[in-house]
């Protein structure tokens, strides 16, 4: 499908990514048949109540995922690279909002980005709210590097019932974007699942879904292209950059 004529090379773009973009880098998605939530329940590991009830279990879940992310076989793929290239080559603003807590977008070179669900390679102290870079394991005995207290260190990630990061900045960008692209997300989790309506209704943006298969919210998008992220994302970016000349 052709790109809309209303899109000009200085049009602001907002991109939302989800777990599907990192699947071909070797990281699991959540809701696919072999996904994370098929092995462990949200209520056990992804709520503040779960952490209060059994911090060791939650720490263990994230310790394993942190070490998987740090495995040298896990590297950014062609979709991450294409988005980093778009940010530098597109004359207008490109804001990348990721739901992912991995660091593959940064490793690919993206800089204007928001981790709305936090970052696996950071730890947050429940006692003093300090955020620290973190690559090792966390446990109840881990002291906070800032306040020294133990028992409060948790991964700096956003669990169900918690407020995602930088919502004001995200909604401001959605309200003025001309193009909204959603990549590799099932559209099950709010507020991210509502961004397409915001971009369409408030900004009048063109909206595109790039996903392995139609997501549950596909009808909200003006355009959709389906296939592996490493194929559909570079192809779509190439079309956009041809428009920029
Ligand atoms: C490929 C591919 C390939 C595969 N190529 N594609 C009732 C109604 C509305 C809302 C609520 C409600 N009850 C409760 C809520 C709110 C709740 C919510 O949304 N619940 C739903 C279950 C209904 N949300 C919250 O609590 C959020 N906070 C909140 O709302 O605060 C209040 C607020 C209100 C208004 C404004 C602002 C704030 C917090 C949500 C926190 C989510 N946390 C998690 C865990 C984070 C840490 C971690 O990673 O462990 O975030 S849950 C998990 O889901 C993770 C993900 O970021 C998130 C989204 O998943 P994602 O990325 O979409 O992955 P999948 O697996 O679902 O989809 C992958 C897709 O990729 C699939 O479609 C595949 O087909 C595709 N794919 N291979 C391309 N190669």
């Amino acid at each position: 499908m052709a790109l809309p004529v209303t899109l000009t090379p200085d049009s602001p773009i907002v991109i939302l990514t989800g777990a599907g973009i990192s699947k071909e880098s070797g990281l699991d998605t959540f809701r696919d048949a072999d996904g994370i939530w098929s092995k462990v329940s949200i209520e056990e590991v992804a709520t503040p109540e779960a952490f209060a009830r059994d911090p060791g279990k939650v720490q263990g879940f994230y310790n394993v995922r942190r070490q998987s992310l740090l495995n040298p076989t896990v590297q950014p793929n062609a979709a991450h690279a294409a988005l980093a290239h778009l940010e530098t080559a597109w004359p207008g603003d490109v804001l990348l909002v990721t739901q992912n807590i991995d660091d593959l977008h940064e490793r690919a070179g993206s800089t204007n980005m928001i981790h709305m669900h936090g970052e696996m390679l950071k730890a947050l102290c429940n006692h003093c709210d300090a955020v620290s870079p973190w690559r090792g394991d966390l446990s109840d005995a881990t002291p906070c590097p800032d306040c020294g207290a133990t028992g409060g260190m948790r991964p700096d990630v956003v669990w169900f019932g918690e407020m995602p990061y930088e919502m004001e900045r995200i909604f401001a960008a959605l309200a003025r974007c001309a193009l909204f692209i959603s990549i590799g997300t099932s559209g099950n989790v709010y507020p991210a699942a509502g961004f397409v309506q915001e971009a369409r209704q408030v900004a009048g943006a063109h909206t595109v879904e790039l996903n392995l298969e139609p997501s549950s919210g596909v009808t909200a998008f003006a355009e959709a292209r389906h296939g592996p992220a490493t194929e559909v994302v570079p192809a779509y970016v190439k079309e956009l950059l041809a428009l920029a000349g």
Side-chain angles (χ1 to χ4, degrees), residues 37-136:
W37 298 151
S38 72
K39 295 166 194 137
V40 60
S41 79
I42 288 172
E43 292 72 22
E44 281 176 275
V45 293
T47 67
E49 293 77 18
F51 185 66
R53 193 170 54 239
D54 192 347
K57 180 167 199 166
V58 177
Q59 302 288 22
F61 171 69
Y62 285 98
N63 288 343
V64 169
R65 288 177 61 202
R66 193 180 299 105
Q67 290 319 309
S68 300
L69 175 60
L70 293 172
N71 186 317
T73 61
V74 174
Q75 296 294 334
N77 64 45
H80 297 103
L83 296 184
H85 178 52
L86 181 66
E87 182 188 325
T88 53
W90 184 254
D93 282 349
V94 178
L95 176 66
L96 174 59
V97 179
T98 187
Q99 298 171 87
N100 299 342
I101 62 173
D102 66 56
D103 64 343
L104 297 181
H105 283 303
E106 293 94 314
R107 284 200 245 164
S110 288
T111 57
N112 192 28
M113 64 172 297
I114 294 173
H115 276 280
M116 66 176 289
H117 289 166
E119 295 176 64
M120 189 132 64
L121 299 182
K122 289 184 180 170
L124 168 68
C125 175
N126 267 343
H127 296 300
C128 71
D129 289 336
V131 173
S132 316
W134 211 269
R135 298 176 81 83

Side-chain angles (χ1 to χ4, degrees), residues 26-243:
L27 297 179
D28 288 334
T29 60
F30 293 91
R31 295 169 186 81
D32 289 318
D34 60 349
I36 292 171
W37 298 151
S38 72
K39 295 166 194 137
V40 60
S41 79
I42 288 172
E43 292 72 22
E44 281 176 275
V45 293
T47 67
E49 293 77 18
F51 185 66
R53 193 170 54 239
D54 192 347
K57 180 167 199 166
V58 177
Q59 302 288 22
F61 171 69
Y62 285 98
N63 288 343
V64 169
R65 288 177 61 202
R66 193 180 299 105
Q67 290 319 309
S68 300
L69 175 60
L70 293 172
N71 186 317
T73 61
V74 174
Q75 296 294 334
N77 64 45
H80 297 103
L83 296 184
H85 178 52
L86 181 66
E87 182 188 325
T88 53
W90 184 254
D93 282 349
V94 178
L95 176 66
L96 174 59
V97 179
T98 187
Q99 298 171 87
N100 299 342
I101 62 173
D102 66 56
D103 64 343
L104 297 181
H105 283 303
E106 293 94 314
R107 284 200 245 164
S110 288
T111 57
N112 192 28
M113 64 172 297
I114 294 173
H115 276 280
M116 66 176 289
H117 289 166
E119 295 176 64
M120 189 132 64
L121 299 182
K122 289 184 180 170
L124 168 68
C125 175
N126 267 343
H127 296 300
C128 71
D129 289 336
V131 173
S132 316
W134 211 269
R135 298 176 81 83
D137 286 354
L138 285 171
S139 80
D140 239 12
T142 307
C144 168
D146 270 61
C147 70
T150 55
M153 293 295 278
R154 55 168 280 185
D156 184 20
V157 301
V158 177
W159 290 320
F160 283 99
E162 297 184 319
M163 183 64 84
Y165 286 119
E166 299 203 54
M167 291 312 303
E168 233 174 86
R169 188 176 155 209
I170 295 171
F171 277 106
L174 289 169
R176 60 180 287 275
C177 72
L179 175 63
F180 173 76
I181 313 171
S182 171
I183 302 171
T185 175
S186 63
N188 274 281
V189 176
Y190 287 84
F195 290 173
V196 58
Q197 276 91 4
E198 188 77 11
R200 201 168 184 168
Q201 289 164 12
V202 177
H206 182 62
T207 55
V208 184
E209 170 174 284
L210 305 179
N211 204 50
L212 187 61
E213 57 195 14
S215 73
S216 54
V218 68
T219 53
F221 291 85
E223 183 185 350
R225 299 187 188 188
H226 296 124
T230 54
E231 293 174 18
V232 293
V233 176
Y236 193 76
V237 165
K238 196 172 167 193
E239 278 180 51
L240 277 177
L241 291 177
L243 183 77

